[in-house]
Amino acid sequence: MEVRNDDFWINGVSARSIGITTVDPLVPPPMASRRYNTYQIGSDTDLVDADDSFDDITYPITMRVIGKPGSLDNSALYAFLAGARMLRLSRLKQYEFQVQKIAGITPSMRSKGNEMIYNVSFKLAPWKYVADEPEITLTAAGNVQNAGTRYCKPVYTLTITGAGTGTLTVNGQTVVVNIPVGAGGGTFTIDSEKQIAYDGNNQIHTHYTSGIFPWMNVGNNFVQFGGVVSGVTIKRNERCY
């Protein structure tokens, strides 16, 4: 029978690398619960309408430190967890999860302190994000595939040739950028997930834009650009249920 030594990574750092001896067998992540609106309409049953939003999911991990009965120092572990933004699991390496927060850490011990146990509860965003996803660069209009199972909210980095008006259009949805004289960096980034825009010097200038920041449907998406926009690099942020 195969013996599996599970592991997980926080922001790309392995739990085992900071002194965790073992990680208990990882369980499959649950599916996020969809939200619904319920209306009483004077009938003998309610009207239930599905929303397009989902609750966060709770994911537990149990880890153990074995063979250090003389020490209760868990500062490295707590520092490891404190800045958690992305979680990756050894049995699901093709995906990452966005960590909303650490919902709880319950420490305990047994075998006269020779085994310290940490039960950690993660609160995760509802989606699996495709890990190690390559960016796509276009210098002319073309199709970009979203291989996830849900629409995605990309980050578009526009190459800007100078001051003036430019456009980015995805599947007919256009956002207009108005770059003033002296705007720095030579690029302008539109973050459709965070709903912000910033220049090449990382200065937020969402007010330079007008229109809706475009998302991408599952499958092929036709991307066009023009004006002072001469190219675009796309981080798709593909998502799966």
Side-chain angles (χ1 to χ4, degrees):
M1 182 176 67
E2 178 186 7
V3 177
R4 181 181 293 275
N5 295 314
D6 281 340
D7 195 4
F8 67 95
W9 291 261
I10 297 291
N11 304 340
V13 178
S14 161
R16 290 178 175 272
S17 73
I18 55 96
I20 297 301
T21 308
T22 65
V23 175
D24 282 12
L26 297 169
V27 299
M31 183 174 179
S33 296
R34 190 167 192 166
R35 295 170 181 158
Y36 295 86
N37 298 307
T38 302
Y39 306 95
Q40 294 180 346
I41 55 176
S43 181
D44 56 356
T45 186
D46 292 336
L47 176 64
V48 179
D49 183 34
D51 201 336
D52 192 39
S53 63
F54 292 73
D55 291 332
D56 291 338
I57 62 175
T58 298
Y59 188 75
I61 294 180
T62 297
M63 64 196 88
R64 302 169 190 269
V65 178
I66 300 172
K68 296 183 179 180
S71 175
L72 294 180
D73 185 2
N74 49 25
S75 57
L77 171 61
Y78 287 0
F80 171 68
L81 295 171
R85 300 183 307 277
M86 298 299 295
L87 170 69
R88 194 184 298 198
L89 307 175
S90 58
R91 299 200 196 193
L92 207 60
K93 290 182 181 179
Q94 69 271 36
Y95 297 111
E96 291 181 332
F97 297 86
Q98 288 189 357
V99 179
Q100 304 288 58
K101 65 179 181 179
I102 303 295
I105 304 173
T106 305
S108 61
M109 63 172 59
R110 67 179 189 177
S111 301
K112 297 182 179 180
N114 196 53
E115 181 179 5
M116 288 179 284
I117 305 163
Y118 295 92
N119 290 293
V120 182
S121 179
F122 292 89
K123 186 72 72 173
L124 306 176
W127 323 117
K128 302 179 185 75
Y129 286 79
V130 175
D132 303 321
E133 174 193 271
E135 293 184 336
I136 294 174
T137 297
L138 297 178
T139 56
N143 283 312
V144 174
Q145 186 180 40
N146 169 20
T149 59
R150 181 174 171 83
Y151 63 82
C152 64
K153 302 177 181 181
V155 176
Y156 305 92
T157 300
L158 313 179
T159 301
I160 303 298
T161 59
T165 300
T167 59
L168 170 70
T169 302
V170 180
N171 299 330
Q173 180 69 60
T174 299
V175 59
V176 178
V177 297
N178 293 288
I179 306 298
V181 175
T187 62
F188 191 77
T189 298
I190 294 172
D191 189 328
S192 294
E193 182 157 32
K194 295 180 180 177
Q195 290 290 294
I196 60 172
Y198 49 92
D199 66 15
N201 295 325
N202 291 321
Q203 299 295 312
I204 295 177
H205 288 298
T206 308
H207 58 283
Y208 289 177
T209 69
S210 60
I212 298 173
F213 291 3
W215 299 352
M216 284 189 173
N217 299 321
V218 176
N220 281 328
N221 298 265
F222 189 59
V223 180
Q224 302 166 275
F225 45 86
V228 298
V229 180
S230 62
V232 58
T233 298
I234 304 169
K235 185 179 187 300
R236 287 161 292 170
N237 290 326
E238 292 176 329
R239 309 184 296 178
C240 295
Y241 288 96

